[in-house]
Amino acid sequence: MADETMLDILKRRGVSRRGFLKFCAATTSLLALPPSMAAAVAESLGRVRRPAVIWLSFQECTGCTESLTRAHSPSIESLIFDAISLDYHHTLQAASGHAAEEAREHSMKADWGNYLLIVDGSIPLKDGGVYSTIAGISNLAMLQEAAAGAAAIVAIGTCAAYGGLPHAQPNPTGAVAVSDIVKDKPIINVPGCPPVPAVMVGVLAHYLTFGTLPDLDDLGRPRAFYGESIHDRCYRRPFYDQGKFAKTFDDAGARDGWCLFELGCKGPTTHNACATTKWNGGTSWPVQSGHGCIGCSEPDFWDAGGFYKALSTPVNSVSGAATAAVAAGAAAGIAIGLANRQRKARARAGHQTVTIADLEK
Amino acid sequence: MSAMELLLWARGPGLVIAAVIFLFGMTLRLIEVYSLGRKRDLAVPRSPTPGSGWRTIVTRSLPHADTWRRSGLTIVAGFVFHIGLFVVLLFLLPHIELIRSLTGLSWPALPTPLVDLVTVITLIALIVALVHRLMDPVKRFLSGFGDYLAWTVTFLPLLTGYMAYHHLLLDYTLLLALHILSVELLLVVFPFTKLTHTFTLFIARWYNGDIAARKGVAS
Ligand code: SF4
Ligand code: SF4
């Protein structure tokens, strides 16, 4: 079984060659490669032998795994995912407890230096990392050990990429991202809460096909998927430009597809592929279904001042500080005013009257 | 620090710091200036015209025929950039949303391309005003560091806002952060430069008109 190619595995699972080519063509265009590359992608991806992949889950909600595997009908994405053979994945593997940990150790040893490490969830550092352990091993220790033998690391989901929800203020567990810990391995961030399934698979397909990392932006995200903002590709954008904004989620404007900026849409500062690849096999995406983008693929999106507050408004309330500043300014102003008055009064009091008699002396 | 972290700082602690300095400084300066008072005028007013101060607010705000001839460019550039600044500040939707979140007040926005056009015109007017200030020997002689600082902090928010909207040079998130930071810089230097004229201008004009009337030259 270990010698089977990707295409063999897919065939065994009922995927036709035609279906596979279609997938490759779609992935090629998703990756922003020229269409002529589709054949090459199909060729090398088909030939790929079951690569060893270890998937570690730390402080997470399993939403990323759900996003990938709970497609309505088993998509080719999820099958590709099966085909990459997860040697270790808590949620998906049959083994549990110490047997599972043994399987991880075994596969790490067997493919030392070559396996792909996928991580979802953040890593807690506070109090010696006690807030999340697996078989008594802290997330930090497990990540460091697994990262040492990995060829590359894919940080799936915003928690692994930037800390995500556990990292949100006040961050009680001291949660950090994979890139805060691992400094000496190539890391691809695939943020999103959860990431778009096609994007996760696209990144894997790219890695398997070319054996290299895709072109990354300054936040470590593949430019092919995260190069443009939601706002730039949003179909409600013409309404933004015309100044037509929905005031509530169910007013006439909202129904006519007007822009959701006033309702808190963070599309202008969010980079993700939702507006182009859409969700659920291309059915729709959040802004299309009537809800603003909450910025889930960006660092610290939980702390950005509330999902329903416009992007141009303050993150924290300023009124308390403002009142104090006015009061302090008034007090200082009155004090200076009084000092000025006193000085004038002193000058008046100190004024000596000079008479002609004085001058004649 | 990523662009997003910078943006969150600008929308959070940065804004609070700038607002506190601005409000503290402006309250202090206005109370300080107005509490100075004036000596009581014991003379009988020459022309008892209580409306003179109010009329002067209007007449001093309109260019005189003579001034027109001598400094037409200054007047046009000045009016254009002041009006443009207020249109951009008060009629772009994200700005209205900010005002609404702070005060609860709101009004309809202008279409973004129109505000965009006004921004370009305002930027040009500001550049013309600066070039004229540098070329004209009298103006140059009268200008100091404070004047150039006031020009810069007025220009930057417009420039960064324009660049952000058009995605020029840098990523939108970073430009938006720089835009908000430039406004915060404006707020911080506001109470300590000639920009305070925003709050003192019309009161000063009223006072000049009123005192002139008392001395017999009512407007
Ligand atoms: S709905 Fe959001 S992403 Fe779409 S145009 Fe409006 S602000 Fe931009
Ligand atoms: S629309 Fe925005 S918040 Fe929603 S999934 Fe896409 S990037 Fe995340």
Side-chain angles (χ1 to χ4, degrees):
Chain A
M1 257 232 339
D3 287 338
E4 272 184 316
T5 64
M6 180 82 84
L7 199 55
D8 294 335
I9 301 167
L10 290 174
K11 267 192 201 141
R12 194 150 50 72
R13 301 205 174 211
V15 175
S16 66
R17 186 169 169 76
R18 190 182 141 78
F20 178 66
L21 288 177
K22 242 174 95 182
F23 165 79
C24 290
T27 304
T28 309
S29 85
L30 258 181
L31 287 167
L33 299 169
S36 55
M37 289 289 283
V41 170
E43 172 68 24
S44 37
L45 194 58
R47 255 193 293 117
V48 164
R49 268 167 224 291
R50 209 176 153 269
V53 175
I54 294 179
W55 180 313
L56 299 178
S57 295
F58 297 141
Q59 285 194 131
E60 45 81 54
C61 68
T62 317
C64 296
T65 305
E66 291 286 324
S67 168
L68 201 59
T69 55
R70 285 288 176 95
H72 219 52
S73 55
S75 60
I76 192 147
E77 277 90 347
S78 62
L79 291 175
I80 290 253
F81 203 66
D82 287 349
I84 61 172
S85 146
L86 288 170
D87 287 339
Y88 177 83
H89 186 301
H90 280 157
T91 317
L92 304 179
Q93 75 191 142
S96 65
H98 289 292
E101 296 315 306
E102 258 169 45
R104 176 174 64 81
E105 302 269 343
H106 177 261
S107 113
M108 271 169 50
K109 257 190 217 116
D111 284 301
W112 191 255
N114 298 316
Y115 56 83
L116 187 66
L117 179 64
I118 299 183
V119 179
D120 69 332
S122 63
I123 302 97
L125 296 184
K126 213 160 158 188
D127 301 329
V130 294
Y131 298 107
S132 177
T133 59
I134 297 161
I137 308 167
S138 75
N139 289 172
L140 176 64
M142 191 179 279
L143 173 63
Q144 280 168 333
E145 191 196 354
I153 304 174
V154 184
I156 291 267
T158 304
C159 295
Y162 311 125
L165 176 61
H167 178 77
Q169 282 166 19
N171 191 358
T173 65
V176 298
V178 172
S179 57
D180 290 323
I181 292 167
V182 182
K183 301 286 181 193
D184 56 351
K185 294 282 169 172
I187 299 174
I188 314 170
N189 286 334
V190 185
C193 194
V196 185
V199 172
M200 286 192 259
V201 174
V203 169
L204 292 182
H206 183 284
Y207 182 75
L208 297 177
T209 308
F210 301 104
T212 57
L213 299 197
D215 186 21
L216 304 177
D217 70 7
D218 57 349
L219 288 172
R221 305 175 289 201
R223 281 186 204 281
F225 302 107
Y226 298 91
E228 272 172 304
S229 74
I230 296 288
H231 185 63
D232 286 340
R233 287 314 192 104
C234 180
Y235 80 111
R236 295 184 191 246
R237 179 62 185 272
F239 294 110
Y240 176 91
D241 289 334
Q242 287 163 26
K244 290 181 173 163
F245 299 93
K247 307 281 172 200
T248 65
F249 285 107
D250 58 356
D251 65 6
R255 281 196 288 275
D256 287 343
W258 288 11
C259 172
L260 304 172
F261 184 91
E262 278 188 39
L263 296 168
C265 183
K266 305 293 183 294
T269 53
T270 307
H271 297 78
N272 204 347
C274 304
T276 38
T277 44
K278 300 194 177 180
W279 283 81
N280 299 327
T283 311
S284 177
W285 63 292
V287 170
Q288 186 176 351
S289 71
H291 194 287
C293 170
I294 60 174
C296 78
S297 56
E298 297 292 331
D300 296 327
F301 78 101
W302 293 97
D303 296 323
F307 296 158
Y308 301 102
K309 276 168 68 186
L311 184 59
S312 57
T313 59
V315 171
N316 324 105
S317 161
V318 275
S319 53
T323 315
V326 171
I334 289 170
I336 294 175
L338 286 177
N340 285 340
R341 256 158 214 256
Q342 257 171 19
R343 210 171 44 187
K344 267 195 225 165
R346 262 203 312 277
R348 220 176 294 126
H351 184 82
Q352 289 181 355
T353 27
V354 180
T355 61
I356 296 197
D358 292 335
L359 293 174
E360 281 179 344
K361 259 190 238 164
Chain B
M1 191 183 229
S2 70
M4 183 54 78
E5 282 165 345
L6 191 64
L7 175 62
L8 290 184
W9 189 85
R11 287 177 61 207
L15 185 71
V16 173
I17 295 169
V20 163
I21 294 176
F22 170 76
L23 290 171
F24 175 83
M26 272 327 291
T27 315
L28 183 150
R29 295 214 57 178
L30 290 179
I31 291 182
E32 188 191 353
V33 169
Y34 292 125
S35 70
L36 280 177
R38 285 280 181 258
K39 262 210 186 118
R40 202 140 71 89
D41 184 3
L42 298 173
V44 180
R46 286 283 189 88
S47 39
T49 49
S52 187
W54 297 102
R55 274 195 301 281
T56 307
I57 293 183
V58 179
T59 51
R60 288 271 167 100
S61 303
L62 298 173
H64 228 262
D66 234 19
T67 337
W68 239 131
R69 264 193 303 282
R70 268 184 288 124
S71 348
L73 187 67
T74 310
I75 293 168
V76 173
F79 264 89
V80 168
F81 101 70
H82 275 97
I83 294 170
L85 204 57
F86 280 106
V87 169
V88 174
L89 180 68
L90 296 178
F91 291 101
L92 184 72
L93 182 101
H95 299 166
I96 298 175
E97 278 305 298
L98 173 63
I99 295 166
R100 187 168 71 140
S101 84
L102 293 174
T103 65
L105 304 171
S106 77
W107 47 87
L110 287 175
T112 326
L114 187 63
V115 177
D116 191 43
L117 180 71
V118 174
T119 308
V120 175
I121 295 171
T122 310
L123 283 168
I124 293 172
L126 272 167
I127 292 171
V128 168
L130 178 70
V131 169
H132 193 239
R133 188 186 279 276
L134 290 168
M135 309 268 286
D136 187 277
V138 178
K139 272 192 177 178
R140 196 175 55 221
F141 177 72
L142 291 173
S143 304
F145 172 74
D147 297 282
Y148 295 110
L149 179 66
W151 184 92
T152 310
V153 294
T154 312
F155 189 78
L156 284 180
L158 283 159
L159 180 71
T160 49
Y162 179 80
M163 287 173 68
Y165 180 66
H166 291 281
H167 295 23
L168 295 180
L169 292 179
L170 301 168
D171 171 65
Y172 178 81
T173 307
L174 184 56
L175 282 171
L176 183 61
L178 293 178
H179 175 61
I180 297 175
L181 287 172
S182 71
V183 176
E184 286 162 9
L185 182 67
L186 172 72
L187 287 177
V188 166
V189 303
F190 201 101
F192 314 106
T193 55
K194 289 181 186 168
L195 293 169
T196 47
H197 76 268
T198 314
F199 293 97
T200 52
L201 172 79
F202 290 109
I203 298 169
R205 279 186 189 162
W206 176 88
Y207 179 76
N208 284 339
D210 194 68
I211 196 76
R214 292 179 77 94
K215 291 178 178 172
V217 269
S219 62

